[in-house]
Amino acid sequence: MEDDTTTPVGGGTAYAEKPLPPDSTSSSTQGVSPGDEHPQADNPQYVSGAKFEAIIGSLVLSCFLSLLDTSVVSTAVPKITDEFHSLADVGWYGSAYSLGSAALQPLTGKIYQHFSLKCSWGKET
């Protein structure tokens, strides 16, 4: 059942509030002409061409590298087991690798927060 206070946006299932009448004294609509409440909802812009291909290519590459990174542990399990002579600890190898990979994430976030992007990547001299 559809509520009287909401209208579908773009024909989908997302809902937005109906615009207030022009005589309303709400501070959020003062100085806005009718029809300007959702200017981007009427004219959606999509990425296309080389930009779209670059975005999709980088997403595919990042997924591939992420999966490759996690599969390195499974390739190394026989060698690690031979080195430590402990087959019972095989379940911990993946966890230890993930913990080591994730340990530097907070530090990386702080570096990006406090320094410029150029400086963070070491390209500023």
Side-chain angles (χ1 to χ4, degrees):
M1 185 166 139
E2 205 168 298
D3 191 5
D4 290 336
T5 60
T6 59
T7 56
V9 175
T13 57
Y15 290 91
E17 293 182 14
K18 284 185 178 179
L20 296 172
D23 60 350
S24 174
T25 59
S26 172
S27 63
S28 64
T29 59
Q30 287 180 354
V32 177
S33 62
D36 286 346
E37 289 85 11
H38 303 288
Q40 293 179 355
D42 297 337
N43 188 13
Q45 296 180 355
Y46 300 104
V47 178
S48 62
K51 207 181 249 190
F52 178 74
E53 290 173 7
I55 291 170
I56 296 299
S58 19
L59 284 172
V60 168
L61 182 64
S62 65
C63 288
F64 172 73
L65 291 176
S66 175
L67 291 171
L68 183 66
D69 187 42
T70 56
S71 69
V72 164
V73 175
S74 62
T75 305
V77 165
K79 189 74 171 169
I80 296 170
T81 305
D82 288 343
E83 181 71 27
F84 293 108
H85 305 291
S86 177
L87 188 58
D89 294 335
V90 168
W92 287 99
Y93 298 161
S95 300
Y97 181 75
S98 296
L99 180 64
S101 296
L104 294 177
Q105 289 299 319
L107 176 64
T108 306
K110 286 294 180 184
I111 289 172
Y112 289 144
Q113 181 181 6
H114 294 293
F115 298 102
S116 70
L117 196 57
K118 248 184 179 178
C119 182
S120 299
W121 283 91
K123 294 184 179 185
E124 192 171 275
T125 56

